Amino acid sequence: MISTSAVVWAEGAPTLQELMPAEGVFSLIWLLIALPLLGAVVLLLGGRRTNRWGPYLAVLTVTASAVLGILMVIGLMGRGAEERSIGQSLFTWVFAGQFEADMAFQLDQLSMVFVLLITIVGALIHVYSLGYMAEDPNRRKFFGYLNLFVAAMLILVLANNYLLLYVGWEGVGLASYLLIGFWQHKPTAAAAAKKAFIINRVGDVGLSIAIMVIFVTFGSVTFDDVFGQASEVNEGTLTAIGLLLLLAAAGKSAQFPLQAWLLDAMEGPTPVSALIHAATMVTAGVYLIARSNAIYDRAVWAATAVVVVGLITIFMGAIIGSAKDDIKKSLAGSTMSQIGYMIMAAGLGPIGYVFAIFHLLTHGVFKAGLFLGAGSVMHGMHDNVNMRRYGALRAAMGVTFVTFMAGYLAIIGIPPFSGFWSKDEIIHAAFERSPIIGSLAILAAGITGFYMTRMVAMTFFGKARWEDDVHPHESPKVMTIPLIILAIGSTFLGMALLFWGNIETWLEPVVGFSTAESPLSTTAVIAISLAFVIVGSVIGWISYARREVPIVAPRGSWLTRAARADLYGDAVNEGVIVRPSFWLSRVLIWFDARVIDGIVNGSAALVGGSSGRMRRYQSGFARSYALSMVGGAVIVLLALVLVRLS
Amino acid sequence: MNPSNVVILSAILFSIGAIGVLVRRNAIIVFMCVELMLNAANLAFVAFARMNGNLDGQVVAFFVMVVAAAEVVVGLAIIVTIFRTRRSASIDEPNLLKY
């Protein structure tokens, strides 16, 4: 056992932190989850009575959670680095034989930043939704689902064991399903919801098998036990667990090969796309990998697979984002691509985890801002999502334009906007691991510049290509204020986290941190990536702002057509999974109908037929019965005599 | 008297009764042959009781008589009823109760 046990291949892996008892404000960790859960219960069970005040209650619960989260982060900052991991156990939840799982939470530096992201961005999006969904007859249900989502997401990040994490994991999947299909009267929305749910199921199976393997290997599912014993387990088992967790992460975070659902998920209302399919839920995969760093640090192949999946998705997302005319789908492609960056960074080991989480936080803020901006544009354009019918909106929607620009500059990585700091750190970490990974990351940054410039140019610049009865107008204050706050975050959050919050030292005790020799200096990386971004942006500007944008999309190159078809993700799923499943089920149906039913029906027919023939002996002649009785008696007698004689 | 002779007699009587049941058509005769078989069996019981020197067989013989008496009552009633409806006591004619 010792000889085969896994060794850490990556330097800078963290040592396990001891959990502190939950005292003071930290005794209220459960309340973080309970508040939005209560909101969801009241709104969803309260029925029409809560229609009038329900949405405000939902906003209130999430805001209260956000305030609580802020109090907790202040409390954590006041403590020493080794005392920032706090455990709270409510009760034993599952107890069966040797298996035990508690309803227990763990608030440490990693969970804390997630709690802040979820509750603060969540609260802003709740407020925005008050305006965006004002006209919707079912808005009480919408807010109930949103609260349910926030509660499930908080369970996911606060759980102290894999089983409770799985509860949150499934909970956010459910909320995502309900909210994508919120406008269920649209068949496309209902289908998109089902698609998201089913593809997520594939990843969830990976997670559930991973939990089983973890329990069999470690005899426990709590993070402390698993990570504490990870060094005593052989590398093969850890690789298996790592790959299964990667499958789970790929499903939830829309990474290759389970990426197909995210683009269709844009059928949901825009605040949902902002909260669930950009800022929080889709980043749960990154959280899972960063949380399980003790496993990946000892399973080099699993970590390599993470990098490869991330890199593939960066490019898939960027290419799809460059070709879509639907503003939300273009943003969804961009989300895939940005999460690809995070997954890739998480696969780099301790040199990357910190920056994966850093980029996750900045991306959560600026992408939420971009989505809400897109929602504001749609609000003013009669819910039209086709960017070919936008154009020249910067005058009509001043606030939306300015806030969108903040998000735009952040995502393409222009200093000093927040995305610059996080993406630059990821690219730098990638160079520390391998120049190939780093170069690919820089190339993708250039494509990011192209598709985001294309989006901004088509939406806010150029000539107006509006439909006839559209009169664009600025959205109400309840929508623009969240936009402004998110824009401020998009601008300053990167600097704040890096220089004032010291994100590396903050997260180091949980995920570890190290640096390695890089073939390129920091300045060179910044210069090259900025050059790529500017080239990409200039190409985008020339193609979509200087030239006339046709209202009907031109046929485009083969790559454009492929990207419009989501790089044939659906066709691949159809060909690789759906068709073979149909064939297999046909074969099984044939086997069932012919062989199984043949055996059953055949034996029934045999019994029936032979008894029909046997029936003929019931002739009605009493004397023939008597003869058979005598014959039988004689045979019995003869048998007795024979047995006696022998 | 040798009891085994009695057993042989009972076997002969039983065979006569069995053949009578098989070959005769008149229900009354068949019935009498059945009684003959029952009494042959009684005879065998009594003979074996004598051979073994205990009373079990004799007790059974009494039981058989009781059962036979009851059977005669029921059987004759059936035969009389059949005769009334069909004007015949042939055992082959009432053959409707079949497949």
Side-chain angles (χ1 to χ4, degrees):
Chain A
M1 192 75 187
I2 298 297
S3 59
T4 56
S5 66
V7 287
V8 182
W9 59 268
E11 280 177 30
T15 49
L16 204 61
Q17 295 187 97
E18 205 172 321
L19 290 182
M20 296 286 129
E23 290 158 347
V25 68
F26 299 108
S27 58
L28 297 177
I29 293 175
W30 62 274
L31 195 62
L32 279 174
I33 299 164
L35 279 168
L37 195 61
L38 177 82
V41 169
V42 170
L43 261 68
L44 293 178
L45 298 185
R48 246 171 276 152
R49 262 160 299 172
T50 60
N51 265 357
R52 205 161 37 81
W53 46 268
Y56 300 100
L57 176 77
V59 173
L60 196 70
T61 57
V62 178
T63 314
S65 275
V67 170
L68 206 55
I70 291 169
L71 290 179
M72 283 182 191
V73 78
I74 293 169
L76 277 195
M77 283 163 132
R79 292 177 170 219
E82 66 286 353
E83 290 178 346
R84 284 177 180 161
S85 198
I86 291 151
Q88 181 181 41
S89 185
L90 296 186
F91 52 88
T92 301
W93 170 41
V94 181
F95 184 75
Q98 296 185 331
F99 185 86
E100 194 183 339
D102 287 355
M103 187 62 75
F105 304 117
Q106 173 176 344
L107 183 79
D108 56 18
Q109 293 92 326
L110 181 61
S111 312
M112 192 69 246
V113 292
F114 267 91
V115 167
L116 291 177
L117 177 75
I118 296 161
T119 53
I120 296 177
V121 174
L124 290 173
I125 290 173
H126 272 73
V127 172
Y128 177 93
S129 304
L130 286 178
Y132 192 82
M133 302 297 284
E135 312 291 323
D136 199 290
N138 282 326
R139 73 188 185 128
R140 171 187 56 84
K141 222 164 59 174
F142 177 82
F143 279 92
Y145 292 156
L146 271 191
N147 260 2
L148 179 69
F149 168 78
V150 172
M153 190 73 202
L154 287 171
I155 291 177
L156 200 167
V157 298
L158 284 171
N160 93 333
N161 60 63
Y162 278 104
L163 198 67
L164 191 55
L165 180 143
Y166 191 65
V167 172
W169 194 267
E170 293 297 311
V172 292
L174 168 71
S176 160
Y177 164 79
L178 291 171
L179 286 164
I180 296 170
F182 182 71
W183 288 320
Q184 53 200 221
H185 51 83
K186 287 199 297 187
T188 48
K194 272 190 274 183
K195 185 176 179 184
F197 200 71
I198 290 165
I199 296 183
N200 264 296
R201 222 42 336 102
V202 178
D204 296 350
V205 168
L207 183 55
S208 64
I209 298 175
I211 295 173
M212 293 173 208
V213 176
I214 284 171
F215 176 69
V216 169
T217 312
F218 297 96
S220 166
V221 290
T222 59
F223 293 150
D224 270 6
D225 293 344
V226 173
F227 303 152
Q229 296 168 31
S231 53
E232 295 155 22
V233 175
N234 69 56
E235 195 178 330
T237 313
L238 291 177
T239 307
I241 295 172
L243 290 175
L244 286 166
L245 292 176
L246 173 62
L247 179 67
K252 195 59 79 190
S253 296
Q255 299 295 295
F256 176 80
L258 300 178
Q259 82 289 351
W261 64 273
L262 185 63
L263 293 151
D264 290 293
M266 296 300 126
E267 289 289 342
T270 309
V272 172
S273 310
L275 179 60
I276 301 184
H277 305 121
T280 53
M281 185 192 84
V282 286
T283 58
V286 184
Y287 171 79
L288 186 68
I289 292 173
R291 175 59 81 188
S292 310
N293 60 74
I295 289 168
Y296 286 100
D297 287 349
R298 292 172 177 84
V300 63
W301 285 109
T304 312
V306 174
V307 174
V308 171
V309 166
L311 274 176
I312 293 174
T313 318
I314 291 175
F315 283 96
M316 285 185 80
I319 291 168
I320 291 173
S322 306
K324 289 281 181 186
D325 292 328
D326 177 330
I327 187 168
K328 283 179 71 184
K329 291 205 171 173
S330 187
L331 279 172
S334 148
T335 304
M336 270 168 65
S337 174
Q338 297 300 313
I339 295 170
Y341 270 108
M342 300 169 210
I343 294 271
M344 186 267 279
L348 296 175
I351 55 174
Y353 292 127
V354 167
F355 303 125
I357 302 297
F358 184 25
H359 194 54
L360 192 157
L361 296 172
T362 55
H363 172 262
V365 172
F366 65 66
K367 186 54 71 64
L370 286 170
F371 260 111
L372 295 188
S376 175
V377 171
M378 287 161 57
H379 197 70
M381 301 293 284
H382 285 288
D383 286 334
N384 192 347
V385 289
N386 187 359
M387 291 192 288
R388 294 189 182 276
R389 302 312 297 258
Y390 291 173
L393 288 174
R394 69 179 181 282
M397 306 176 136
V399 180
T400 306
F401 168 67
V402 172
T403 53
F404 203 91
M405 285 311 281
Y408 160 73
L409 293 170
I411 191 172
I412 66 173
I414 298 292
F417 291 87
S418 62
F420 162 76
W421 306 100
S422 52
K423 193 187 281 184
D424 179 68
E425 294 281 16
I426 287 181
I427 292 171
H428 199 249
F431 266 109
E432 287 172 10
R433 171 73 66 235
S434 139
I436 301 169
I437 305 174
S439 319
L440 289 172
I442 283 190
L443 180 63
I447 307 179
T448 309
F450 170 74
Y451 68 72
M452 284 312 296
T453 310
R454 170 180 179 270
M455 185 185 302
V456 168
M458 284 173 92
T459 306
F460 294 104
F461 296 92
K463 281 190 195 146
R465 304 177 296 275
W466 309 335
E467 281 166 345
D468 292 337
D469 53 344
V470 168
H471 306 286
H473 55 85
E474 187 55 273
S475 302
K477 278 224 165 48
V478 72
M479 288 166 72
T480 52
I481 288 173
L483 280 178
I484 292 166
I485 298 174
L486 287 170
I488 294 169
S490 310
T491 313
F492 298 109
L493 185 68
M495 279 182 287
L497 285 176
L498 201 58
F499 300 123
W500 179 69
N502 287 324
I503 186 88
E504 294 110 320
T505 41
W506 173 263
L507 285 173
E508 189 187 351
V510 186
V511 296
F513 180 58
S514 72
T515 49
E517 188 114 355
S518 167
L520 281 178
S521 70
T522 316
T523 343
V525 169
I526 292 174
I528 296 173
S529 61
L530 269 180
F532 267 82
V533 167
I534 289 165
V535 169
S537 306
V538 168
I539 295 174
W541 182 259
I542 292 173
S543 318
Y544 291 95
R546 302 287 294 276
R547 279 191 218 143
E548 191 87 356
V549 179
I551 287 176
V552 178
R555 189 156 175 271
S557 67
W558 62 271
L559 189 61
T560 314
R561 291 198 299 276
R564 280 189 196 132
D566 302 350
L567 293 177
Y568 305 119
D570 289 341
V572 169
N573 286 347
E574 175 89 18
V576 178
I577 311 288
V578 180
R579 287 283 161 84
S581 306
F582 269 122
W583 292 332
L584 183 67
S585 52
R586 292 237 175 82
V587 170
L588 290 176
I589 288 172
W590 177 86
F591 187 80
D592 181 53
R594 293 296 151 93
V595 180
I596 306 283
D597 287 7
I599 292 170
V600 174
N601 293 343
S603 53
L606 187 72
V607 172
S610 55
S611 49
R613 243 157 260 132
M614 298 276 279
R615 217 163 53 145
R616 296 278 152 189
Y617 294 102
Q618 204 84 355
S619 60
F621 285 105
R623 290 188 304 143
S624 74
Y625 303 161
L627 181 61
S628 58
M629 278 166 72
V630 170
V634 168
I635 288 170
V636 169
L637 269 179
L638 279 179
L640 280 173
V641 168
L642 278 176
V643 170
R644 276 295 166 84
L645 286 182
S646 60
Chain B
M1 192 178 71
N2 190 353
S4 63
N5 290 339
V6 180
V7 175
I8 292 167
L9 175 63
S10 91
I12 293 169
L13 285 175
F14 189 89
S15 304
I16 292 171
I19 292 167
V21 168
L22 291 180
V23 301
R24 299 306 296 260
R25 289 207 181 87
N26 189 317
I28 303 287
I29 306 285
V30 169
F31 214 63
M32 283 159 63
C33 290
V34 169
E35 292 301 312
L36 195 58
M37 287 163 77
L38 282 167
N39 283 307
N42 271 353
L43 196 56
F45 271 122
V46 174
F48 286 129
R50 182 68 181 264
M51 285 160 92
N52 290 333
N54 67 17
L55 288 176
D56 290 358
Q58 310 213 7
V59 173
V60 173
F62 277 108
F63 276 109
V64 172
M65 279 180 203
V66 173
V67 171
E71 180 240 324
V72 165
V73 171
V74 177
L76 274 180
I78 293 172
I79 290 168
V80 168
T81 320
I82 290 173
F83 184 78
R84 276 190 188 156
T85 52
R86 295 179 170 261
R87 292 281 136 206
S88 145
S90 170
I91 200 158
D92 283 354
E93 270 179 38
N95 64 349
L96 296 177
L97 195 65
K98 59 183 177 188
Y99 52 83

